[in-house]
Amino acid sequence: MAQRVVVTGASSGIGAATVRRFAELGYETVAVARREDRLRALADETGAYVIQCDVTDEAAVARMAEEVRATGGASGLVNNAGGALGTDSVETALNDDWRRMFEVNVIGLRNVTAALLPVLREATQRPQAGHPGAASGVDAGHGWASILNLTSTAGLASYPGGGGYNAAKYAAHAVTEVLRLELAGEPIRVMEVAPGLVHTEEFTLNRLRGDAAAAALPYESVTPLTAEDVARVLVGAFEQPPHVNQDLIVLRPVAQSSVFHVHRGPLAAK
């Protein structure tokens, strides 16, 4: 039986790329997002089972989890839904922007995780084939489950203009660490991927409220990560034997040495 993984924020960017990568490797996927038209197109392309759901709506998330259970359950969860709004200072930022960032990056992550944990635990009660190391060591005789939270290097280092997004991603990073502690002793690994500079079609454009010219500036004269780059690393964490937990994977393009420093122009030996 193939593993089945739920991916939130699956309608575009890293979420859609992650669904595609899982499908390439033979996983069953459940793609969750707000935009039904995007989900249907992804389903036609990958065979994913799709559920329209806003992760900030607790009742909708509960219904989503019941649908996942009723249609085959899941042994994996990727909390990818998130986003940034604005680059204003702490002094001038809008509280509504901060609320929205906390709702989707933190509360939404908690909603989905809490709703799906019982489903993931059910998966640990049945043996799962087709995974390296599945029948070895202390993992023999039962299944396993995996949770991976997509955060950001913005949750590891702060920068001017990042206030609300920094705060939300720092919180998501903290929630991931707490969850790992709370699930200690269960066959459920909790992982985190924190990308740096990634160019997707919507993230920076949404953050800058549709200003295409401004949204292009961070990517000038540099080769950033792509959604596909992140998806390969993210899915690779699921491909490890079940006793291997990649707690935190920090992923940046070679040209970015920190949140403060991006080399623009050709890379060359000195």
Side-chain angles (χ1 to χ4, degrees):
M1 177 178 169
Q3 293 187 70
R4 194 172 192 232
V5 182
V6 178
V7 181
T8 68
S11 60
S12 66
I14 294 170
T18 297
V19 170
R20 293 185 184 103
R21 182 61 177 166
F22 274 125
E24 287 172 5
L25 296 179
Y27 289 72
E28 295 181 9
T29 57
V30 180
V32 176
R34 291 175 299 148
R35 293 178 291 185
E36 188 173 14
D37 57 335
R38 295 282 192 103
L39 288 176
R40 294 300 172 193
L42 187 63
D44 291 342
E45 177 187 349
T46 65
Y49 185 90
V50 299
I51 303 176
Q52 183 183 22
C53 177
D54 182 344
V55 300
T56 68
D57 183 333
E58 192 170 3
V61 169
R63 292 191 296 270
M64 177 272 290
E66 283 306 311
E67 186 170 349
V68 171
R69 173 185 276 119
T71 56
S75 61
L77 166 63
V78 177
N79 279 309
N80 166 74
L85 286 173
T87 57
D88 305 288
S89 68
V90 172
E91 180 182 11
T92 62
L94 300 174
N95 282 339
D96 283 347
D97 287 348
W98 282 47
R99 288 189 187 97
R100 179 59 187 168
M101 285 187 277
F102 268 80
E103 283 288 337
V104 68
N105 289 290
V106 186
I107 305 301
L109 183 154
R110 194 218 69 85
N111 286 342
V112 173
T113 302
L116 282 174
L117 262 173
V119 179
L120 297 174
R121 286 192 175 104
E122 290 170 8
T124 71
Q125 302 305 309
R126 51 184 186 267
Q128 297 169 26
H131 193 290
S136 64
V138 297
D139 299 301
H142 64 68
W144 61 91
S146 303
I147 299 170
L148 189 147
N149 294 337
L150 189 85
T151 60
S152 170
T153 54
L156 305 174
S158 301
Y159 54 88
Y165 188 59
N166 285 142
K169 286 303 187 183
Y170 265 91
H173 172 66
V175 170
T176 305
E177 291 189 330
V178 170
L179 186 64
R180 191 178 299 118
L181 292 167
E182 291 176 348
L183 297 181
E186 298 190 52
I188 303 174
R189 58 186 172 184
V190 179
M191 303 176 287
E192 178 180 356
V193 172
L197 185 66
V198 185
H199 189 200
T200 63
E201 66 269 30
E202 292 185 328
F203 178 85
T204 305
L205 191 63
N206 288 340
R207 183 175 196 172
L208 298 178
R209 310 181 200 283
D211 186 337
L217 292 177
Y219 312 107
E220 282 190 353
S221 302
V222 65
T223 302
L225 300 175
T226 66
E228 291 72 25
D229 294 330
V230 178
R232 280 192 295 271
V233 172
L234 187 161
V235 175
F238 279 76
E239 288 284 282
Q240 299 304 310
H243 69 283
V244 176
N245 196 97
Q246 291 183 287
D247 286 20
L248 173 62
I249 302 170
V250 177
L251 185 65
R252 292 188 177 100
V254 173
Q256 183 184 32
S257 50
S258 78
V259 295
F260 298 106
H261 187 266
V262 176
H263 176 82
R264 301 190 185 277
L267 300 176
K270 296 181 179 178

